[in-house]
Amino acid sequence: LYPRAPFEQFLACVVASMGYLWRQLVLLLLLLQIDQQKIAGKYAKALLVTYLLFAVLGNLIVSGLNTAAAEENWNYGYGNFLYYTWMSYHGRAYGEFAPIGAAQEFLACVTTATGHLAWVVPLLLVVRSSVLSAVLSTVRPAEDAPGATAQVVGNPT
């Protein structure tokens, strides 16, 4: 059994989005729980921007490209291509639609790879931000340390 009616496909897309976003939301809640509001805010913004860019806008564009690349024997409209692309991006495709031809196969590969890698982008941004803030909070420029002189540690040769 797979979703056939447009409303069933819509519900499947919503469930696919929830299944895709649960890791990111857990990380966001964890950051808030450990009092990292600044990093959580950055992460929420990065997550929102990347999801809107890749999942929403990217899938709308790829669905249009799939529709344009469709061979004449496909009687599916833009809505079915959007459903197929959305489910492929979120790693939840049931297999009822499959690419036909080299162009659609290429788009399917790009969509699936982007979906599997795009959730890492906001995660990397938050890790980078937290590491930078930890390093910069312990290291001070020499100008900020009054009366400090340079000190050589070890035996210079």
mmCIF file of all heavy atoms in Angstrom, residues 31-57:
data_model
loop_
_atom_site.group_PDB
_atom_site.id
_atom_site.type_symbol
_atom_site.label_atom_id
_atom_site.label_comp_id
_atom_site.label_asym_id
_atom_site.label_seq_id
_atom_site.Cartn_x
_atom_site.Cartn_y
_atom_site.Cartn_z
ATOM 1 N N LEU A 31 20.436 21.776 22.976
ATOM 2 C CA LEU A 31 21.174 23.032 23.145
ATOM 3 C C LEU A 31 20.442 23.980 24.081
ATOM 4 O O LEU A 31 21.065 24.653 24.909
ATOM 5 C CB LEU A 31 21.410 23.694 21.784
ATOM 6 C CG LEU A 31 22.422 23.018 20.879
ATOM 7 C CD1 LEU A 31 22.393 23.620 19.487
ATOM 8 C CD2 LEU A 31 23.818 23.113 21.472
ATOM 9 N N LEU A 32 19.129 24.037 23.971
ATOM 10 C CA LEU A 32 18.357 24.895 24.877
ATOM 11 C C LEU A 32 18.400 24.362 26.309
ATOM 12 O O LEU A 32 18.470 25.138 27.257
ATOM 13 C CB LEU A 32 16.912 25.000 24.393
ATOM 14 C CG LEU A 32 16.718 25.779 23.090
ATOM 15 C CD1 LEU A 32 15.290 25.650 22.604
ATOM 16 C CD2 LEU A 32 17.107 27.236 23.272
ATOM 17 N N GLN A 33 18.369 23.057 26.465
ATOM 18 C CA GLN A 33 18.388 22.445 27.797
ATOM 19 C C GLN A 33 19.708 22.698 28.523
ATOM 20 O O GLN A 33 19.731 22.844 29.746
ATOM 21 C CB GLN A 33 18.119 20.941 27.691
ATOM 22 C CG GLN A 33 17.967 20.240 28.992
ATOM 23 C CD GLN A 33 16.717 20.679 29.745
ATOM 24 O OE1 GLN A 33 15.710 21.052 29.149
ATOM 25 N NE2 GLN A 33 16.790 20.647 31.061
ATOM 26 N N ILE A 34 20.816 22.759 27.793
ATOM 27 C CA ILE A 34 22.118 22.968 28.440
ATOM 28 C C ILE A 34 22.530 24.443 28.421
ATOM 29 O O ILE A 34 23.698 24.767 28.505
ATOM 30 C CB ILE A 34 23.204 22.074 27.803
ATOM 31 C CG1 ILE A 34 23.402 22.395 26.322
ATOM 32 C CG2 ILE A 34 22.895 20.616 28.006
ATOM 33 C CD1 ILE A 34 24.578 21.675 25.683
ATOM 34 N N ASP A 35 21.536 25.306 28.308
ATOM 35 C CA ASP A 35 21.730 26.758 28.386
ATOM 36 C C ASP A 35 22.691 27.298 27.338
ATOM 37 O O ASP A 35 23.573 28.115 27.637
ATOM 38 C CB ASP A 35 22.188 27.174 29.787
ATOM 39 C CG ASP A 35 21.113 26.941 30.824
ATOM 40 O OD1 ASP A 35 19.922 27.054 30.463
ATOM 41 O OD2 ASP A 35 21.458 26.631 31.977
ATOM 42 N N GLN A 36 22.533 26.850 26.127
ATOM 43 C CA GLN A 36 23.328 27.359 24.995
ATOM 44 C C GLN A 36 22.393 28.083 24.030
ATOM 45 O O GLN A 36 22.287 27.743 22.860
ATOM 46 C CB GLN A 36 24.062 26.215 24.295
ATOM 47 C CG GLN A 36 25.084 25.522 25.140
ATOM 48 C CD GLN A 36 26.252 26.432 25.469
ATOM 49 O OE1 GLN A 36 26.643 27.285 24.674
ATOM 50 N NE2 GLN A 36 26.808 26.267 26.649
ATOM 51 N N GLN A 37 21.705 29.117 24.535
ATOM 52 C CA GLN A 37 20.714 29.824 23.741
ATOM 53 C C GLN A 37 21.315 30.498 22.513
ATOM 54 O O GLN A 37 20.689 30.518 21.452
ATOM 55 C CB GLN A 37 19.975 30.866 24.595
ATOM 56 C CG GLN A 37 18.932 30.281 25.502
ATOM 57 C CD GLN A 37 19.507 29.650 26.755
ATOM 58 O OE1 GLN A 37 20.666 29.846 27.098
ATOM 59 N NE2 GLN A 37 18.694 28.876 27.440
ATOM 60 N N LYS A 38 22.524 31.037 22.649
ATOM 61 C CA LYS A 38 23.152 31.726 21.522
ATOM 62 C C LYS A 38 23.439 30.736 20.382
ATOM 63 O O LYS A 38 23.124 30.999 19.229
ATOM 64 C CB LYS A 38 24.444 32.403 21.978
ATOM 65 C CG LYS A 38 25.110 33.237 20.916
ATOM 66 C CD LYS A 38 26.340 33.947 21.468
ATOM 67 C CE LYS A 38 27.022 34.742 20.378
ATOM 68 N NZ LYS A 38 28.257 35.365 20.857
ATOM 69 N N ILE A 39 24.005 29.609 20.721
ATOM 70 C CA ILE A 39 24.294 28.595 19.706
ATOM 71 C C ILE A 39 22.994 27.997 19.177
ATOM 72 O O ILE A 39 22.867 27.736 17.983
ATOM 73 C CB ILE A 39 25.228 27.510 20.280
ATOM 74 C CG1 ILE A 39 26.589 28.131 20.593
ATOM 75 C CG2 ILE A 39 25.390 26.357 19.303
ATOM 76 C CD1 ILE A 39 27.539 27.186 21.296
ATOM 77 N N ALA A 40 22.010 27.803 20.049
ATOM 78 C CA ALA A 40 20.717 27.271 19.607
ATOM 79 C C ALA A 40 20.045 28.226 18.625
ATOM 80 O O ALA A 40 19.442 27.781 17.645
ATOM 81 C CB ALA A 40 19.816 27.027 20.809
ATOM 82 N N GLY A 41 20.160 29.526 18.877
ATOM 83 C CA GLY A 41 19.597 30.509 17.949
ATOM 84 C C GLY A 41 20.273 30.451 16.588
ATOM 85 O O GLY A 41 19.606 30.501 15.548
ATOM 86 N N LYS A 42 21.598 30.352 16.598
ATOM 87 C CA LYS A 42 22.324 30.234 15.330
ATOM 88 C C LYS A 42 21.942 28.954 14.601
ATOM 89 O O LYS A 42 21.764 28.938 13.390
ATOM 90 C CB LYS A 42 23.839 30.251 15.581
ATOM 91 C CG LYS A 42 24.387 31.588 15.976
ATOM 92 C CD LYS A 42 25.885 31.495 16.190
ATOM 93 C CE LYS A 42 26.460 32.813 16.642
ATOM 94 N NZ LYS A 42 27.922 32.731 16.832
ATOM 95 N N TYR A 43 21.817 27.870 15.367
ATOM 96 C CA TYR A 43 21.461 26.592 14.768
ATOM 97 C C TYR A 43 20.052 26.631 14.180
ATOM 98 O O TYR A 43 19.803 26.121 13.087
ATOM 99 C CB TYR A 43 21.579 25.466 15.792
ATOM 100 C CG TYR A 43 21.229 24.120 15.227
ATOM 101 C CD1 TYR A 43 22.047 23.522 14.272
ATOM 102 C CD2 TYR A 43 20.087 23.447 15.625
ATOM 103 C CE1 TYR A 43 21.735 22.289 13.741
ATOM 104 C CE2 TYR A 43 19.775 22.216 15.104
ATOM 105 C CZ TYR A 43 20.597 21.645 14.158
ATOM 106 O OH TYR A 43 20.276 20.433 13.636
ATOM 107 N N ALA A 44 19.113 27.239 14.897
ATOM 108 C CA ALA A 44 17.736 27.329 14.406
ATOM 109 C C ALA A 44 17.681 28.131 13.109
ATOM 110 O O ALA A 44 16.982 27.754 12.164
ATOM 111 C CB ALA A 44 16.841 27.959 15.466
ATOM 112 N N LYS A 45 18.431 29.233 13.050
ATOM 113 C CA LYS A 45 18.459 30.034 11.815
ATOM 114 C C LYS A 45 19.086 29.255 10.670
ATOM 115 O O LYS A 45 18.570 29.253 9.553
ATOM 116 C CB LYS A 45 19.230 31.332 12.047
ATOM 117 C CG LYS A 45 18.508 32.333 12.904
ATOM 118 C CD LYS A 45 19.361 33.556 13.156
ATOM 119 C CE LYS A 45 18.753 34.424 14.234
ATOM 120 N NZ LYS A 45 19.641 35.519 14.623
ATOM 121 N N ALA A 46 20.206 28.585 10.937
ATOM 122 C CA ALA A 46 20.865 27.799 9.896
ATOM 123 C C ALA A 46 19.971 26.661 9.422
ATOM 124 O O ALA A 46 19.884 26.384 8.217
ATOM 125 C CB ALA A 46 22.196 27.247 10.404
ATOM 126 N N LEU A 47 19.282 26.007 10.353
ATOM 127 C CA LEU A 47 18.375 24.922 10.002
ATOM 128 C C LEU A 47 17.225 25.436 9.143
ATOM 129 O O LEU A 47 16.884 24.832 8.117
ATOM 130 C CB LEU A 47 17.842 24.259 11.266
ATOM 131 C CG LEU A 47 16.811 23.159 11.087
ATOM 132 C CD1 LEU A 47 17.398 22.007 10.279
ATOM 133 C CD2 LEU A 47 16.336 22.672 12.447
ATOM 134 N N LEU A 48 16.647 26.545 9.534
ATOM 135 C CA LEU A 48 15.531 27.120 8.777
ATOM 136 C C LEU A 48 15.958 27.504 7.364
ATOM 137 O O LEU A 48 15.288 27.169 6.385
ATOM 138 C CB LEU A 48 14.967 28.331 9.522
ATOM 139 C CG LEU A 48 13.785 29.025 8.865
ATOM 140 C CD1 LEU A 48 12.572 28.098 8.845
ATOM 141 C CD2 LEU A 48 13.458 30.314 9.595
ATOM 142 N N VAL A 49 17.099 28.172 7.256
ATOM 143 C CA VAL A 49 17.565 28.618 5.936
ATOM 144 C C VAL A 49 17.910 27.424 5.047
ATOM 145 O O VAL A 49 17.489 27.365 3.884
ATOM 146 C CB VAL A 49 18.778 29.569 6.089
ATOM 147 C CG1 VAL A 49 19.457 29.811 4.745
ATOM 148 C CG2 VAL A 49 18.331 30.885 6.699
ATOM 149 N N THR A 50 18.650 26.471 5.571
ATOM 150 C CA THR A 50 19.044 25.337 4.731
ATOM 151 C C THR A 50 17.836 24.479 4.361
ATOM 152 O O THR A 50 17.750 23.997 3.232
ATOM 153 C CB THR A 50 20.116 24.458 5.407
ATOM 154 O OG1 THR A 50 19.641 24.018 6.674
ATOM 155 C CG2 THR A 50 21.418 25.203 5.563
ATOM 156 N N TYR A 51 16.895 24.291 5.276
ATOM 157 C CA TYR A 51 15.725 23.483 4.951
ATOM 158 C C TYR A 51 14.858 24.173 3.901
ATOM 159 O O TYR A 51 14.390 23.541 2.959
ATOM 160 C CB TYR A 51 14.919 23.155 6.203
ATOM 161 C CG TYR A 51 13.879 22.086 5.966
ATOM 162 C CD1 TYR A 51 14.257 20.755 5.833
ATOM 163 C CD2 TYR A 51 12.538 22.396 5.857
ATOM 164 C CE1 TYR A 51 13.320 19.763 5.601
ATOM 165 C CE2 TYR A 51 11.592 21.411 5.629
ATOM 166 C CZ TYR A 51 11.993 20.102 5.493
ATOM 167 O OH TYR A 51 11.069 19.126 5.249
ATOM 168 N N LEU A 52 14.646 25.466 4.085
ATOM 169 C CA LEU A 52 13.850 26.196 3.092
ATOM 170 C C LEU A 52 14.549 26.224 1.735
ATOM 171 O O LEU A 52 13.901 26.089 0.699
ATOM 172 C CB LEU A 52 13.565 27.620 3.571
ATOM 173 C CG LEU A 52 12.569 27.754 4.709
ATOM 174 C CD1 LEU A 52 12.451 29.215 5.150
ATOM 175 C CD2 LEU A 52 11.203 27.215 4.316
ATOM 176 N N LEU A 53 15.848 26.382 1.748
ATOM 177 C CA LEU A 53 16.594 26.449 0.489
ATOM 178 C C LEU A 53 16.633 25.105 -0.211
ATOM 179 O O LEU A 53 16.270 24.997 -1.383
ATOM 180 C CB LEU A 53 18.017 26.957 0.756
ATOM 181 C CG LEU A 53 18.917 27.114 -0.455
ATOM 182 C CD1 LEU A 53 18.409 28.226 -1.350
ATOM 183 C CD2 LEU A 53 20.332 27.398 -0.011
ATOM 184 N N PHE A 54 17.084 24.075 0.506
ATOM 185 C CA PHE A 54 17.260 22.773 -0.133
ATOM 186 C C PHE A 54 15.946 22.009 -0.284
ATOM 187 O O PHE A 54 15.618 21.532 -1.364
ATOM 188 C CB PHE A 54 18.259 21.915 0.648
ATOM 189 C CG PHE A 54 19.664 22.405 0.572
ATOM 190 C CD1 PHE A 54 20.355 22.719 1.728
ATOM 191 C CD2 PHE A 54 20.308 22.543 -0.638
ATOM 192 C CE1 PHE A 54 21.663 23.163 1.674
ATOM 193 C CE2 PHE A 54 21.608 22.992 -0.706
ATOM 194 C CZ PHE A 54 22.289 23.304 0.451
ATOM 195 N N ALA A 55 15.193 21.859 0.806
ATOM 196 C CA ALA A 55 14.005 21.008 0.765
ATOM 197 C C ALA A 55 12.855 21.663 0.006
ATOM 198 O O ALA A 55 12.284 21.059 -0.889
ATOM 199 C CB ALA A 55 13.566 20.651 2.176
ATOM 200 N N VAL A 56 12.534 22.896 0.355
ATOM 201 C CA VAL A 56 11.357 23.511 -0.254
ATOM 202 C C VAL A 56 11.678 24.043 -1.645
ATOM 203 O O VAL A 56 11.134 23.555 -2.642
ATOM 204 C CB VAL A 56 10.794 24.622 0.659
ATOM 205 C CG1 VAL A 56 9.615 25.298 0.007
ATOM 206 C CG2 VAL A 56 10.398 24.043 2.011
ATOM 207 N N LEU A 57 12.571 25.011 -1.732
ATOM 208 C CA LEU A 57 12.868 25.615 -3.031
ATOM 209 C C LEU A 57 13.525 24.610 -3.975
ATOM 210 O O LEU A 57 13.164 24.517 -5.157
ATOM 211 C CB LEU A 57 13.770 26.842 -2.844
ATOM 212 C CG LEU A 57 14.088 27.648 -4.095
ATOM 213 C CD1 LEU A 57 12.801 28.208 -4.708
ATOM 214 C CD2 LEU A 57 15.055 28.759 -3.780
#
